[in-house]
Amino acid sequence: MRVVVADDAVLIRSGLVKLLEEFGCEVVAEVGDGDALVEAVAEHRPDVSVVDVRMPPSFTDEGLRAATRARELVPGAPVLILSQYVEVSYADDLLADARGAVGYLLKDRVIDVDDFMDSLKRVAGGGTVFDPEVVSQLMVRRRKNDPVATLTPREKEVLGLMAEGHSNKAIGKRLFISDGAVEKHIRNIFTKLTLSSEDGDHHRRVKAVLAYLRS
């Protein structure tokens, strides 16, 4: 994978670059502010960008805002937010175009390098991976007449685990249900969210997760 790394903390950025290179990734640019991130994405068109939230000049949500601008310039550019903080305001903007290829993980909760690389590959491939804490923060506000509200509690559990990037088999193990039961719940989710089979299972899965996170 060709990767852009954006983090203003030099030691963290250097460590992440080294880790990615050890796993066979090509880091095409490493930057320390939002404007440089936008320029790097526009120039290199990476397979995925790993972006911190708080960077110069504002040190608030500059990374998220820059990632949103980058996806406006390069529609659907894959972005994995990797931060110590949950900032939902511009996370909504990242989800708004319904293209997928977005993720949001918390640095302190990434405890397995292989899992992190798997998450990076999922985002690069057009999928979504969100830390459970980020999901819960996004769920605080719900729209009226939200189609997600029609899902059963079990279907919401399944969809929440899909949002965290778990496979059907992993969902089954977590909920102690069979693979067939998981598939049935997912079919019901697709039906209730009126997701057409013409989109294919992968795209319907992404659209279902985005509907859940934007609800």
Side-chain angles (χ1 to χ4, degrees), residues 2-3 6 9-10 16 20 51 53 62 81 108 123-124 127-129 140 143 161 164-165 167 178 213:
R2 300 172 65 254
V3 185
V10 176
L16 185 56
L20 291 170
V51 182
V53 168
E62 184 68 22
I81 301 297
D108 292 345
V123 173
T128 56
V129 181
V140 168
R143 298 191 311 263
L161 290 170
E164 294 171 22
S167 66
S178 68
L213 295 173

Side-chain angles (χ1 to χ4, degrees), residues 4-181:
V4 166
V5 175
D7 195 311
D8 69 294
V10 176
L11 290 178
I12 293 176
R13 187 171 74 231
S14 297
L16 185 56
V17 168
K18 183 177 181 181
L19 172 67
L20 291 170
E21 290 176 342
E22 287 178 354
F23 275 78
C25 298
E26 178 188 358
V27 178
V28 295
E30 49 178 301
V31 300
D33 63 76
D35 290 341
L37 167 63
V38 175
E39 292 173 5
V41 171
E43 177 183 352
H44 297 286
R45 307 292 174 110
D47 296 313
V48 62
S49 298
V50 182
V51 182
D52 189 19
V53 168
R54 298 188 176 182
M55 293 193 296
S58 66
F59 290 101
T60 54
D61 51 17
E62 184 68 22
L64 271 173
R65 290 191 282 126
T68 301
R69 295 202 310 274
R71 281 170 66 91
E72 291 171 354
L73 286 174
V74 184
V79 173
L80 175 62
I81 301 297
L82 181 63
S83 179
Q84 290 177 291
Y85 310 98
V86 179
E87 174 54 66
V88 299
S89 58
Y90 281 90
D92 279 340
D93 292 338
L94 275 179
L95 299 169
D97 64 10
R99 292 176 182 269
V102 292
Y104 197 138
L105 299 179
L106 299 180
K107 290 178 180 177
D108 292 345
R109 291 161 63 97
V110 176
I111 58 176
D112 187 283
V113 173
D114 289 331
D115 286 347
F116 171 72
M117 293 304 301
D118 181 63
S119 296
L120 197 64
K121 291 174 184 177
R122 284 176 180 269
V123 173
T128 56
V129 181
F130 283 77
D131 185 275
E133 179 61 25
V134 178
V135 173
S136 68
Q137 291 285 340
L138 287 167
M139 292 297 98
V140 168
R141 74 280 179 277
R142 288 225 181 244
R143 298 191 311 263
K144 292 181 179 180
N145 303 318
D146 177 11
V148 173
T150 66
L151 302 181
T152 67
R154 177 62 90 185
E155 289 164 355
K156 289 178 183 176
E157 279 186 294
V158 170
L159 187 49
L161 290 170
M162 288 167 60
E164 294 171 22
H166 295 291
S167 66
N168 287 9
K169 185 172 292 294
I171 292 171
K173 287 183 178 179
R174 282 176 174 261
L175 299 181
F176 302 101
I177 57 178
S178 68
D179 292 351

